[in-house]
Amino acid sequence: MDKNKKTLGTVVVMVLVIVGSWLLLKGGKPAPDTSPIRIGVSMPLSGEAASYGEAGRAGLELALKEINDAGGIKGRMVELVYEDDKCDSTGVSVFQKLISVDKVTAIIGPVCSAAAGPAIPIARAANIPVLLVGASAPGLTGGDDSIFNSYPTDTFQGRFSAEYIYNTLGKRKVAVMYVQNDWGQGLQKVFNERFTELGGTVVMNEGVAQDATDVKSVAAKIQAAKPDLIYMPAYPALAAIATQQFRDLGMTTPVFGGDALIAKEFLTSPAAEGVMFVTGAVGSPEDFKSKVEALNGRDTVINIVTPLGYDALKMLTQVIAQKGTDSKDIIAGLKALDYKAGVSFPDISFDSSGDLKVATYDVKIVKNAQAVTVPQ
């Protein structure tokens, strides 16, 4: 061996000794992962229900600030990846991007069942945890999988509406006009079954396309059927058109809708005055609203999606802090969750189908473009 080769060998040995000593001092552990934890958000940021997305984003941003200001999750910051599902089947491409391109750890949303219904199979196939924040059509959850709902399912809402209309409002003949999507079809089915069980009569039952701009023919059928009340599970734009066309025909029949009517886009429509609808009894205390406004501005839309979004991120990050970022572990953590720090609901846990164990509702009436709670 010549002198140069011997010198090179000595240098290599010394480098190995130094690296080995450093690894021993460090316990042989790799450097901790400090990359951000990415969580996808699927909400309508444009279109007929953009106020849902604005409201949900406001709650999410407050939760995000609190989490990251406290050090994130074991030193890793949380990053939210927002995508616009438009409250329709665009949810499919949103989920595909969040899962395949953005490689998110979990997804919060959608708010709308019309976006959730076609998108959820993509998440199921990838075993990605999804925490719905308003999408509530029957059948979105169910079974031993990765889908959870932080808002009461419409199986309960449809029954509650039927019982309230029959028992509290005393109506016996109802015409049903519903939006033809997962949410509207699910609600009308449950409602019709329960209302007729109680002894009521559904004098007309007709679906209307979500993007319909003229329902005069349906309104005329309703008028001819002479119902005591119109049950109308419709999305905001359709509901605004329908109620205006009811009034144009001179109809004074009371209208009762579903929780989609909490949207600003409906509440501010002139014909919405006096319309009643049901929503989950979601909490939103004044101190919470003040924090949301302080961060996002006083003109920020705040509705039931705001505390739902806030709690969803808080719950997910609590589970990730306890279980890690593996999807199977997150799913197991959500199944075992007993969250008692909720703003939307004081105690949140899921049944074997991924739905809330407890469901309670409020009845609202539109007064001066505001949703006012009706005492029960």
Side-chain angles (χ1 to χ4, degrees):
M1 180 182 293
D2 61 35
K3 186 177 179 181
N4 288 339
K5 289 182 178 180
K6 185 176 181 180
T7 301
L8 179 60
T10 302
V11 170
V12 170
V13 170
M14 288 177 67
V15 170
L16 290 173
V17 168
I18 292 169
V19 171
S21 299
W22 181 82
L23 287 173
L24 285 172
L25 288 172
K26 298 292 287 184
K29 296 179 180 178
D33 186 356
T34 58
S35 63
I37 296 172
R38 310 188 88 193
I39 295 175
V41 180
S42 174
M43 286 186 176
L45 304 176
S46 65
E48 67 168 306
S51 65
Y52 294 158
E54 181 183 347
R57 188 168 193 156
L60 283 162
E61 287 299 316
L62 176 60
L64 181 68
K65 183 178 188 304
E66 292 177 353
I67 292 161
N68 285 342
D69 283 355
I73 301 175
K74 297 181 178 179
R76 298 178 66 183
M77 296 295 101
V78 176
E79 179 184 328
L80 296 178
V81 183
Y82 291 93
E83 290 293 336
D84 182 9
D85 63 32
K86 304 183 189 300
C87 208
D88 61 25
S89 59
T90 305
V92 171
S93 58
V94 164
F95 268 46
Q96 288 171 336
K97 178 180 180 295
L98 289 173
I99 294 169
S100 301
V101 178
D102 298 307
K103 308 294 184 183
V104 297
T105 298
I107 296 174
I108 293 173
V111 177
C112 303
S113 298
I120 278 174
I122 298 166
R124 278 200 172 106
N127 205 37
I128 293 293
V130 174
L131 191 49
L132 302 171
V133 287
S136 52
L140 294 180
T141 54
D144 185 22
D145 65 12
S146 63
I147 314 300
F148 300 84
N149 202 336
S150 65
Y151 185 76
T153 176
D154 291 338
T155 301
F156 297 121
Q157 184 187 154
R159 289 179 62 88
F160 176 90
S161 298
E163 291 166 3
Y164 186 87
I165 290 169
Y166 188 90
N167 295 323
T168 303
L169 299 183
K171 306 302 183 182
R172 297 294 181 264
K173 295 192 303 178
V174 171
V176 178
M177 192 198 86
Y178 62 93
V179 61
Q180 289 177 320
N181 60 28
D182 290 349
W183 177 79
Q185 290 166 181
L187 265 180
Q188 64 87 24
K189 181 176 184 296
V190 174
F191 174 88
N192 290 353
E193 289 173 356
R194 182 57 180 152
F195 192 71
T196 54
E197 281 176 4
L198 291 168
T201 302
V202 177
V203 295
M204 195 203 82
N205 186 64
E206 187 156 342
V208 178
Q210 184 175 330
D211 59 355
T213 57
D214 188 338
V215 297
K216 293 187 184 74
S217 61
V218 179
K221 291 179 184 178
I222 293 172
Q223 189 175 39
K226 299 180 179 179
D228 301 327
L229 178 143
I230 301 166
Y231 178 58
M232 186 182 66
Y235 274 12
L238 175 59
I241 291 167
T243 49
Q244 184 59 59
Q245 293 183 354
F246 294 160
R247 305 303 181 233
D248 292 345
L249 283 174
M251 296 169 62
T252 57
T253 310
V255 177
F256 194 101
D259 52 5
L261 301 192
I262 195 67
K264 178 183 69 174
E265 290 83 355
F266 175 73
L267 297 176
T268 55
S269 63
E273 186 74 10
V275 172
M276 299 178 76
F277 59 95
V278 63
T279 70
V282 176
S284 188
E286 289 304 316
D287 63 333
F288 171 73
K289 292 179 182 177
S290 296
K291 291 177 183 177
V292 172
E293 290 177 347
L295 178 64
N296 298 281
R298 294 193 61 82
D299 295 332
T300 302
V301 173
I302 299 176
N303 59 32
I304 61 174
V305 189
T306 312
L308 289 171
Y310 176 88
D311 282 344
L313 185 55
K314 288 280 188 160
M315 288 187 290
L316 264 178
T317 53
Q318 175 180 296
V319 170
I320 292 170
Q322 294 170 345
K323 302 289 187 179
T325 57
D326 182 81
S327 60
K328 291 181 181 178
D329 293 333
I330 296 172
I331 293 165
L334 287 170
K335 288 178 179 178
L337 182 71
D338 187 10
Y339 189 73
K340 297 186 182 299
V343 173
S344 55
F345 300 103
D347 190 351
I348 301 173
S349 56
F350 303 106
D351 63 18
S352 59
S353 295
D355 291 315
L356 289 178
K357 287 183 178 178
V358 178
T360 55
Y361 293 92
D362 286 331
V363 176
K364 308 281 188 179
I365 186 168
V366 183
K367 290 185 178 180
N368 300 317
Q370 299 293 319
V372 179
T373 301
V374 178
Q376 294 187 53

